Amino acid sequence: MIRISNLSRHYNGFKAVDDVSFHIQKGEVVGLLGHNGAGKTTIMKMITGFLEPTSGSIEVDGLCIGADTIKIQEKIGYLPENCPVWPEMVVLDYLQYQASLHGIPEDLQKEAIARAVRRTALQQKATATIQTLSRGYRQRVGVAQAILHDPAILVLDEPTNGLDPTQILQMRSLIRDLAKNATIIVSTHILQEVQAVCDRVLIMRSGKMVVDSKLKDLQSNQRILLCVNNEKADTYLSKIKEVRHLESLGVQNGHYHFSLVAVPESAPIIAEAVQQAGDRLYTLQPEVKTLEKLFTEVNSISADQREVVNG
């Protein structure tokens, strides 16, 4: 559906995006994650044809940005950051204006607007002026204009920016609903948003892509957490051939904790070793790696060590 190859964007020597490549399949919900200034918005502007790349190529559904930009834009719904809207306009008038810009025929505009209003739950605010709406409802208006033409691809730049907790939950629910019929790219610097709605995560750092992986793969690894009653358990655990590395995590409440680098399938072997040693086994479970931990690890990598992580 979307193929990015060696994409770069420079500003007077500053590399906002530096040689980025990735591929998004049809129907995926992908989170583009990174600190402010990492290059997320620049990538989105290039995908949607609002900004020309310095080098590299962008292919969308077999079409190329540059030669086929207008055709690509017809396939995309775009919610820019901070949701630019005309505050003095009534919601329905604004959506009708946007429907015309999207090229929706006049005889189909009423149906398209009604469908977008229903999907974004704007019925009660349809006749209000945009300047009277809360931040959450303004974001909904922005999403409504993005889906008016029933696009195959949705690009949402910081869709929960500035929303309160209730509005964030509503926006997540809306994105999950939209994902039933579209490929979605969600740009955010908020880790929880990726975990809530995305299948896959791309992490940017200083203009470079440093992680490209399925979310489920990132949240698991080959570490096993062990808790026993013997401080010296490492003497026999380290002899297990399936254990490639062992680290003591200290003592808590009289129980000794260890971290073992070993595949989860080796858990029965580890449990048997504890039993044969006559020790008590309190905990034996795979360690789950959170996005917070991964993000911390990624941002601690020095420039000369930076590389894309796959799973």
Side-chain angles (χ1 to χ4, degrees):
M1 175 62 75
I2 302 174
R3 186 176 297 277
I4 308 297
S5 301
N6 306 113
L7 189 66
S8 295
R9 174 69 190 193
H10 302 166
Y11 296 94
N12 297 322
F14 172 70
K15 298 180 179 180
V17 175
D18 187 9
D19 195 27
V20 169
S21 299
F22 59 89
H23 180 213
I24 298 176
Q25 301 284 356
K26 183 178 180 179
E28 278 193 297
V29 182
V30 176
L32 187 57
L33 186 64
H35 288 309
N36 291 331
K40 308 183 302 298
T41 294
T42 302
I43 286 179
M44 288 192 157
K45 286 183 177 179
M46 289 190 284
I47 291 175
T48 54
F50 287 92
L51 190 64
E52 291 186 359
T54 301
S55 60
S57 64
I58 303 170
E59 185 178 314
V60 178
D61 203 17
L63 303 172
C64 294
I65 284 289
D68 308 303
T69 297
I70 299 300
K71 291 181 179 179
I72 289 174
Q73 289 175 332
E74 292 173 355
K75 297 175 179 286
I76 294 177
Y78 182 33
L79 175 67
E81 187 177 9
N82 298 320
C83 188
V85 290
W86 283 268
E88 69 279 1
M89 294 187 73
V90 170
V91 171
L92 286 178
D93 292 341
Y94 171 74
L95 293 178
Q96 185 175 20
Y97 173 60
Q98 290 293 327
S100 299
L101 293 180
H102 282 303
I104 300 174
E106 287 189 17
D107 59 330
L108 299 178
Q109 287 184 10
K110 186 176 181 179
E111 179 183 350
I113 292 169
R115 184 173 61 248
V117 166
R118 285 195 305 271
R119 296 183 74 184
T120 54
L122 281 169
Q123 294 95 323
Q124 294 182 345
K125 303 293 183 180
T127 57
T129 56
I130 294 175
Q131 64 189 355
T132 66
L133 301 182
S134 67
R135 181 61 181 267
Y137 273 111
R138 290 192 187 196
Q139 288 288 79
R140 285 177 177 269
V141 173
V143 175
Q145 67 79 23
I147 64 175
L148 276 169
H149 55 307
D150 198 23
I153 301 167
L154 272 172
V155 177
L156 308 176
D157 195 355
E158 301 284 358
T160 61
N161 186 24
L163 304 189
D164 64 35
T166 299
Q167 293 167 341
I168 288 173
L169 291 176
Q170 292 170 343
M171 184 61 69
R172 289 176 183 175
S173 177
L174 176 59
I175 292 172
R176 283 191 288 266
D177 180 61
L178 296 172
K180 297 174 183 177
N181 301 299
T183 301
I184 298 181
I185 305 174
V186 179
S187 169
T188 181
H189 63 281
I190 302 173
L191 300 166
Q192 291 86 350
E193 297 311 306
V194 173
Q195 290 176 308
V197 300
C198 298
D199 308 313
R200 179 172 154 218
V201 61
L202 309 174
I203 298 182
M204 296 288 298
R205 182 178 187 269
S206 301
K208 285 187 173 290
M209 185 71 66
V210 291
V211 171
D212 178 355
S213 184
K214 293 285 187 181
L215 192 58
K216 63 179 181 180
D217 295 333
L218 284 179
Q219 292 179 307
S220 64
N221 57 26
Q222 294 188 333
R223 285 187 177 271
I224 295 177
L225 299 179
L226 175 72
C227 178
V228 294
N229 66 329
N230 184 359
E231 182 181 9
K232 304 297 184 181
D234 56 339
T235 57
Y236 61 82
L237 292 171
S238 60
K239 296 178 182 178
I240 301 173
K241 65 177 182 179
E242 287 81 5
V243 175
R244 298 195 299 274
H245 179 73
L246 185 148
E247 178 183 357
S248 174
L249 301 180
V251 60
Q252 186 176 1
N253 298 325
H255 299 159
Y256 298 91
H257 297 260
F258 298 89
S259 173
L260 294 73
V261 177
V263 295
E265 291 77 10
S266 61
I269 299 172
I270 296 170
E272 183 179 2
V274 174
Q275 184 182 32
Q276 289 180 351
D279 290 342
R280 290 185 179 181
L281 177 61
Y282 297 106
T283 301
L284 181 62
Q285 64 185 35
E287 179 187 48
V288 177
K289 180 183 287 188
T290 64
L291 267 179
E292 283 86 352
K293 184 173 181 180
L294 176 69
F295 204 32
T296 300
E297 291 173 355
V298 165
N299 283 282
S300 66
I301 298 174
S302 61
D304 58 341
Q305 294 174 314
R306 206 178 296 151
E307 62 182 15
V308 174
V309 178
N310 294 295

